[in-house]
Amino acid sequence: MARGKLRIYLGAAPGVGKTYAMLSEAHRRIERGTDCVVAFVEHHHRPRTEVMLHGLEQIQRKELEYRDATFTEMDVDAVLRRAPAVALVDELAHTNIPGSRNTKRWQDVEELLAAGIDVVSTVNIQHLESLGDVVESITGVRQRETVPDEVVRRADQIELVDMSPEALRRRMAHGNIYKSDKVDAALSNYFRPGNLTALRELALLWVADRVDAYLTEYRSEHQVSAIWGSRERIVVGLTGGPEGRTLIRRAVRLAEKGAGGEVLAVYISRSDGLTSASPKELAVQRTLVEDLGGTFHQVVGDDISAALLDFSRGVNATQIVLGVSRRRGWQYVFGPGVGATVARESGPDLDVHLITHDEVGKGRGLPVASGARLGRARVVWGWLVGVLGPALLTWLLTGAAPDVGLANDMLLFLSLTVAAALVGGLFPALASAVVGSLLLNWFFTPPVHTFTIADPKNIVAIAIFVGVALSVASVVDLAARRTHQAARLRAESEILSFLAGNILRGETSLEELLERVRETFGMESAALLERTGETAPWTCAGSVGPRPAEAPEDADVDVPVGDHMALSLRGRVLPAADRRVLAAFAAQAAVVLDRQRLQSEADRAKELAEGNRIRTALLAAVSHDLRTPLAGIKAAVSSLRSDDVEWSEEDQAELLEAIEAGADRLDHLVGNLLDMSRLQTGTVAPIIRETDLDEVVPMALGGVPEDSVELDIPETLPMVYVDRGLLERAVANVVENAVKYSPPGEKVLVSASALADRVEVRVVDRGPGVPDEAKERIFEPFQRYGDSPRGVGVGLGLAVARGFAEAIGGTLDAEDTPGGGLTMVLAVPTAPERERPEQPDLPAAATS
């Protein structure tokens, strides 16, 4: 029997007309000839809803006594006996009166669906379990009746019943929802426009998420790889500054406005050595974006704007989030900035958001790694001031102020030299001193226009000028180098501190550490190589990136770690200053590798201990459970061979039946023990092929009484891709376990249905069931739940069944049976679809 289909009308708020819409659909189905009945509909004395019940068959409700009062509930048994094609069940989240068959109405609906009855139901958005806290914060009312989200999500169809807050309030005022004495209180409390708008937004977002899930499933089934505009993919550009946290949170909020939004944080590092951002701050931002469900990426590129746009287009992003520049106003003379450049060159497909933050206009400060190293622009300006400045000053002094005096001329040229030192450093200042001294000698020192100096005092003045210029340039250059060294040491210490902390806490795997090395130094690939001896070949213990080095001599940079290990990088040659940090990375990589191997050995030791435990349990099982049937067989054989007793034919038949039953039990126990041994030793080798499920499942029922199982395997199921023998053994063990625990007279239901790319076999019993905390424990070897008597088995049936299910690529899990009992769900993959031959184009008449 196929499972029924569930259609749900989801209301944005009470009174929007979901019950009316459900009854309207019932009339349409009856007009089409569908057998449709009203299992339970609550009209709340609303005239229009009551009118819609006319002409519909209604199942008599069940009356229950509770606290000296009589209540009516849906009569599940009556609906099952009537067995309509479609049943209308209102208020899915309703809690049944104590003494009912099930606690919640959605559990009643599950029984109807399991019986093959299609159900049309209703529920309001505020009754979804996951939204309880949100609805309470909006309306101030805690919903006591809720339904699990998964129940609604599993519905085959969900239709939103919506209405604008103004229209709903008008319906309320006209008395179409509540009686007139309750209208004013409702309008001023729960049905306020703000409440209704917020509930409407919740409903729209929830349904949009469900629609996106349907779309994802469709794209997966049809192998659609292109990015469609229905999903937002937001790239966050990080600089390593403190404003990055604000940008990440803002991007996440943008992504949450649309279903399935994705956030990708990216940091662009330059290719000139260590990254220019604080590793500690980047680590914090990496953790933040991953905690919020996004991903972190680090890309090497000297042109930050181009690299950011290339990355965004490469991941098919729809939006870019950037922070407003931290540069001061005067700094814009060096260029428009990354934000303006990205916005200008993004094109029509990429939206760029510039987000304000607390660091706007406070200046970018000096980069941590590159410190006060004079940039290219400063060096160029320094040379311009040092070389062209003296020439321009000479032209001004000779033309506009020819008689200011040699002393003043020297001070002016000295000012240019100091300016060149401050802007461009040592060498532009030296050039300014040389050019300035020559121009002073030629144009302003008598005799002019010659390099001869007549007055010895002028020689001393020019010498002092050159000395002061050299001194100032040296001091400025030394300060720049010292600042750069201090900044570099700070960057290195932060990297080492972060690295040591992660390693000591065991938070980093070898691949993650190598990826960090590759990103930090902007390399193409990184690999940790090792060998067993001086002449042994090198082997790769771990690598990241394309074309990792196979030996240290093949790498651009290699750092030895001990005698038989080396960290090898490809991409470019690193300066000697970077090798100190690289050596620390190499040493930590060796530590991580040793820890991983120790962990592997510990895991193997754990497996050995588990094997010892199983062997001990096996000995216990052999000592008792296997001896029980042997004792029965021996007693029966001894009785038959006894000469002291004259056995009748009936007695002989009974003893022979006992021998046969004991032998069958013994064969079953030994078979399970052998199967468990095969699973433990990994010697199960499945032969996977296409198989019809309706040919395998009936064969698995040979070990149980004929009248103990009800089989429902549709012939329309797709082929499954499994090992036929292992699947049969798995189903047999599960069914035997279900029959063993089922009450007398209750049949075990074995049904199957197709779901996406798998087929589910459900074995349903009405036994005592298993609590949630024990559902995984029953699959462990030598485990028997509850008060099972000794001698009914060694507790291997379900363990073997799950082992076989996993061996053929399936799963075996336990669920509660609605109404009591246990349901085993065996999911196996369907066979891959074969390519269909192309059909020739036919004329319209031939296809009609």
Side-chain angles (χ1 to χ4, degrees):
M1 181 187 302
R3 179 179 171 85
K5 296 184 179 299
L6 176 62
R7 178 184 178 91
I8 292 180
Y9 284 95
L10 179 66
V16 294
K18 58 187 183 301
T19 303
Y20 189 93
M22 178 181 68
L23 295 174
S24 299
E25 180 182 354
H27 283 285
R28 290 193 299 270
R29 294 200 180 200
I30 290 176
E31 290 175 358
R32 295 196 298 265
T34 304
D35 182 15
C36 184
V37 301
V38 176
F40 188 97
V41 167
E42 190 64 66
H43 53 71
H44 296 291
H45 303 290
R46 296 169 185 168
R48 296 189 178 184
T49 306
E50 288 186 81
V51 170
M52 293 298 294
L53 285 170
H54 295 166
L56 299 178
E57 178 185 353
Q58 301 185 47
I59 302 295
Q60 185 69 31
R61 299 185 184 184
K62 186 176 183 179
E63 293 186 353
L64 295 171
E65 297 288 337
Y66 180 67
R67 293 183 178 178
D68 300 327
T70 302
F71 300 87
T72 60
E73 293 286 2
M74 180 175 67
D75 192 338
V76 179
D77 292 324
V79 179
L80 292 175
R81 286 193 300 270
R82 172 62 175 77
V86 180
L88 307 184
V89 183
D90 204 6
E91 298 181 354
L92 188 64
H94 172 75
T95 301
N96 294 330
I97 296 298
S100 301
R101 180 167 179 163
N102 295 306
T103 304
K104 305 287 289 187
R105 184 165 291 163
W106 65 263
Q107 295 172 327
D108 296 337
V109 170
E110 285 292 327
E111 285 199 46
L112 300 182
L113 295 173
I117 301 174
D118 292 346
V119 176
V120 182
S121 188
T122 65
V123 69
N124 283 330
I125 189 67
Q126 70 264 24
H127 293 296
L128 294 182
E129 196 168 81
S130 66
L131 300 178
D133 295 338
V134 179
V135 172
E136 183 179 10
S137 65
I138 294 172
T139 63
V141 178
R142 182 67 180 181
Q143 300 294 329
R144 290 186 172 87
E145 293 189 332
T146 60
V147 59
D149 289 44
E150 188 59 27
V151 174
V152 183
R153 287 184 181 275
R154 286 202 305 263
D156 299 278
Q157 297 180 56
I158 300 176
E159 182 170 342
L160 177 65
V161 183
D162 188 23
M163 182 178 291
S164 68
E166 294 78 12
L168 183 57
R169 286 171 59 85
R170 283 198 301 271
R171 289 193 63 190
M172 175 74 68
H174 294 160
N176 294 331
I177 300 176
Y178 292 156
K179 294 182 179 179
S180 57
D181 58 341
K182 297 181 180 180
V183 170
D184 291 338
L187 289 175
S188 59
N189 290 283
Y190 193 94
F191 287 81
R192 293 196 300 268
N195 290 358
L196 297 177
T197 302
L199 291 174
R200 189 184 192 193
E201 182 182 24
L202 281 178
L204 291 171
L205 291 175
W206 197 92
V207 174
D209 179 66
R210 181 59 179 160
V211 171
D212 187 71
Y214 281 135
L215 179 61
T216 302
E217 183 179 352
Y218 175 85
R219 286 164 50 83
S220 175
E221 291 177 354
H222 293 76
Q223 298 181 350
V224 179
S225 58
I227 297 298
W228 289 356
S230 59
R231 181 180 183 182
E232 294 292 343
R233 181 166 289 181
I234 303 174
V235 171
V236 185
L238 301 179
T239 64
E243 77 281 359
R245 306 181 199 183
T246 302
L247 302 184
I248 292 171
R249 293 189 178 96
R250 182 62 181 273
V252 170
R253 290 198 297 272
L254 287 173
E256 289 175 347
K257 292 182 178 179
E262 184 178 356
V263 175
L264 301 90
V266 59
Y267 171 70
I268 311 296
S269 61
R270 298 186 181 275
S271 60
D272 57 352
L274 294 174
T275 58
S276 59
S278 167
K280 183 177 180 180
E281 181 62 30
L282 280 180
V284 171
Q285 294 176 16
R286 178 197 293 263
T287 302
L288 175 61
V289 70
E290 290 175 352
D291 289 344
L292 295 176
T295 56
F296 182 89
H297 305 268
Q298 191 158 339
V299 178
V300 177
D302 292 325
D303 189 335
I304 295 178
S305 302
L308 182 61
L309 288 171
D310 289 343
F311 176 83
S312 302
R313 294 188 178 106
V315 299
N316 294 314
T318 58
Q319 302 181 52
I320 298 178
V321 173
L322 298 173
V324 176
S325 178
R326 286 180 288 152
R327 296 192 298 177
R328 300 185 188 276
W330 62 268
Q331 291 178 305
Y332 282 96
V333 299
F334 298 107
V338 174
T341 304
V342 170
R344 184 181 65 249
E345 299 179 2
S346 61
D349 298 331
L350 269 174
D351 296 334
V352 180
H353 301 266
L354 293 179
I355 308 300
T356 57
H357 49 84
D358 294 337
E359 304 296 322
V360 173
K362 293 184 178 180
R364 290 183 295 179
L366 298 175
V368 173
S370 56
R373 178 186 295 172
L374 300 178
R376 182 178 301 175
R378 288 189 60 180
V379 172
V380 171
W381 278 103
W383 281 101
L384 292 175
V385 173
V387 176
L388 298 182
L392 180 61
L393 180 60
T394 299
W395 177 75
L396 291 175
L397 291 176
T398 55
D403 299 323
V404 297
L406 182 59
N408 292 327
D409 294 335
M410 287 186 176
L411 289 175
L412 291 174
F413 276 96
L414 182 59
S415 300
L416 279 179
T417 302
V418 172
L422 292 173
V423 175
L426 178 61
F427 293 105
L430 292 177
S432 177
V434 172
V435 173
S437 61
L438 293 176
L439 292 176
L440 278 172
N441 190 358
W442 182 266
F443 287 99
F444 304 104
T445 305
V448 297
H449 301 136
T450 67
F451 288 108
T452 302
I453 301 176
D455 190 350
K457 295 180 181 179
N458 293 337
I459 298 177
V460 175
I462 291 178
I464 293 174
F465 164 76
V466 174
V468 171
L470 294 177
S471 300
V472 171
S474 300
V475 169
V476 172
D477 183 70
L478 180 62
R481 285 188 286 111
R482 289 289 184 266
T483 305
H484 168 61
Q485 290 172 1
R488 184 181 184 85
L489 290 174
R490 177 184 173 190
E492 290 179 2
S493 64
E494 288 183 352
I495 290 175
L496 295 176
S497 175
F498 172 77
L499 178 64
N502 275 7
I503 299 300
L504 291 175
R505 290 189 298 269
E507 299 175 353
T508 305
S509 65
L510 180 59
E511 286 71 21
E512 291 173 346
L513 181 62
L514 293 177
E515 180 65 27
R516 183 65 188 274
V517 174
R518 191 178 71 86
E519 291 179 353
T520 298
F521 294 97
M523 304 302 285
E524 180 182 353
S525 64
L528 184 64
L529 307 176
E530 63 175 347
R531 60 181 178 181
T532 57
E534 294 292 340
T535 59
W538 290 95
T539 59
C540 182
S543 65
V544 294
R547 300 188 309 108
E550 298 179 357
E553 54 268 20
D554 300 333
D556 295 314
V557 180
D558 71 281
V559 178
V561 186
D563 297 330
H564 307 298
M565 192 175 294
L567 178 62
S568 302
L569 307 178
R570 269 186 171 175
R572 61 190 179 85
V573 178
L574 292 179
D578 288 347
R579 295 183 68 88
R580 177 171 50 191
V581 177
L582 188 58
F585 271 111
Q588 295 291 10
V591 172
V592 171
L593 180 61
D594 289 341
R595 189 181 65 244
Q596 288 183 352
R597 288 174 174 171
L598 289 174
Q599 184 63 43
S600 299
E601 292 179 2
D603 293 339
R604 285 195 295 269
K606 184 178 180 180
E607 292 177 1
L608 292 176
E610 180 67 16
N612 289 334
R613 186 188 69 82
I614 291 178
R615 280 191 289 273
T616 302
L618 177 59
L619 290 175
V622 170
S623 65
H624 187 282
D625 295 285
L626 296 183
R627 292 179 62 183
T628 301
L630 285 175
I633 294 172
K634 181 173 178 58
V637 171
S638 299
S639 300
L640 287 173
R641 295 189 62 186
S642 175
D643 298 331
D644 301 334
V645 181
E646 192 71 32
W647 301 101
S648 64
E649 291 184 1
E650 291 80 4
D651 293 335
Q652 290 181 8
E654 185 176 350
L655 291 172
L656 290 174
E657 184 178 355
I659 293 173
E660 184 178 13
D664 289 341
R665 282 185 55 198
L666 189 61
D667 178 69
H668 180 73
L669 293 174
V670 172
N672 275 341
L673 289 172
L674 292 176
D675 290 338
M676 198 66 214
S677 175
R678 292 170 59 202
L679 289 171
Q680 291 293 327
T681 56
T683 57
V684 176
I687 302 175
I688 305 298
R689 62 185 62 179
E690 292 185 0
T691 304
D692 275 323
L693 196 63
D694 56 359
E695 296 179 0
V696 177
V697 175
M699 298 294 294
L701 307 182
V704 297
E706 294 183 0
D707 58 347
S708 62
V709 177
E710 179 183 348
L711 199 59
D712 179 19
I713 307 295
E715 296 181 356
T716 57
L717 287 176
M719 303 278 283
V720 294
Y721 204 54
V722 297
D723 183 298
R724 179 169 180 166
L726 296 182
L727 177 60
E728 181 180 332
R729 293 295 303 277
V731 174
N733 282 7
V734 173
V735 172
E736 289 174 8
N737 184 79
V739 171
K740 183 190 307 179
Y741 288 97
S742 290
E746 287 281 354
K747 290 186 178 181
V748 171
L749 173 63
V750 180
S751 62
S753 59
L755 181 64
D757 58 349
R758 66 186 187 276
V759 171
E760 289 187 351
V761 179
R762 307 180 76 89
V763 181
V764 184
D765 67 63
R766 292 292 180 180
V770 176
D772 292 339
E773 62 272 11
K775 283 187 172 62
E776 282 301 312
R777 195 166 65 247
I778 61 176
F779 293 104
E780 297 178 4
F782 305 104
Q783 295 290 327
R784 290 176 294 189
Y785 176 71
D787 55 353
S788 301
R790 300 288 292 181
V792 298
V794 294
L796 285 177
L798 293 181
V800 170
R802 173 173 276 191
F804 283 167
E806 293 175 350
I808 60 178
T811 59
L812 178 61
D813 298 293
E815 298 178 356
D816 291 329
T817 301
L822 189 68
T823 298
M824 290 291 179
V825 182
L826 174 61
V828 293
T830 58
E833 294 185 2
R834 298 179 179 177
E835 294 185 1
R836 299 179 180 177
E838 294 185 1
Q839 299 292 335
D841 294 333
L842 299 177
T847 58
S848 62

